[in-house]
């Protein structure tokens, strides 16, 4: 638990040093893949130090993925809809965890803990494939929102420069 917690803390610090939400899609693809792969490797690890390192990566991958998804949702959703969207996100995330845990427990009774963790890691790694496959199309969809919010650097600096003008550029 300590190794996973240290990985999660590292992930939180990694996200805290980021300056923008731009590029979080790629981060989600990488960290979800990292989480799934590390969980699969952990599933059959019998060496303590290796297990600790793998749990460090699972903690990092899990917290960065969750926090990045949360950040993107809150950034992209209009203010008047944010509460509703976040309640659905929390319900889906928190509400499904007990059901998934019960299912994983039932599967572990039948096939063992190692194979259950292997399957969970595989599902995590595979579940990010549709997101990664559609990432370019998703970027095109969020681009107008980023422009409206002034998140895109070129546009944000252009808006700042334009707001400092007292007369049209050619009339000085």
């Amino acid at each position: 638990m300590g190794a996973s917690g240290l990985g999660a803390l590292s992930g939180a610090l990694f996200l805290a040093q980021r300056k923008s939400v731009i590029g979080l899609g790629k981060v989600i693809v990488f960290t979800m893949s990292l989480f799934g792969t590390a969980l699969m490797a952990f599933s059959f690890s019998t060496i303590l130090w290796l297990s600790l390192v793998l749990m460090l990566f699972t903690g990092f991958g899990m917290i960065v993925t969750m926090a990045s998804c949360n950040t993107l949702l809150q950034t992209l959703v209009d203010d008047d809809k944010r509460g509703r969207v976040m309640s659905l996100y929390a319900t889906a995330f928190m509400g499904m965890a007990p059901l998934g845990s019960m299912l994983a427990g039932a599967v572990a009774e039948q096939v063992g803990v190692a194979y259950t963790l292997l399957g969970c890691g595989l599902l995590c790694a595979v579940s990010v494939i549709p997101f990664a496959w559609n990432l370019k199309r998703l970027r095109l969809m969020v681009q107008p929102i980023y422009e409206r919010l002034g998140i895109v650097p070129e546009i944000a600096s252009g808006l700042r420069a334009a707001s400092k003008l007292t007369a049209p550029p050619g009339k000085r």
Side-chain angles (χ1 to χ4, degrees), residues 39-40 43-44 107 113-126:
L39 191 58
M40 287 188 287
S43 69
F44 287 103
V107 171
V113 174
Y115 286 109
T116 303
L117 284 174
L118 178 68
C120 290
L122 183 64
L123 284 172
C124 288
V126 169

Side-chain angles (χ1 to χ4, degrees), residues 90-104:
T91 301
F93 186 75
M94 303 286 194
M96 294 307 289
L99 297 175
S101 296
M102 284 187 349
L103 178 62

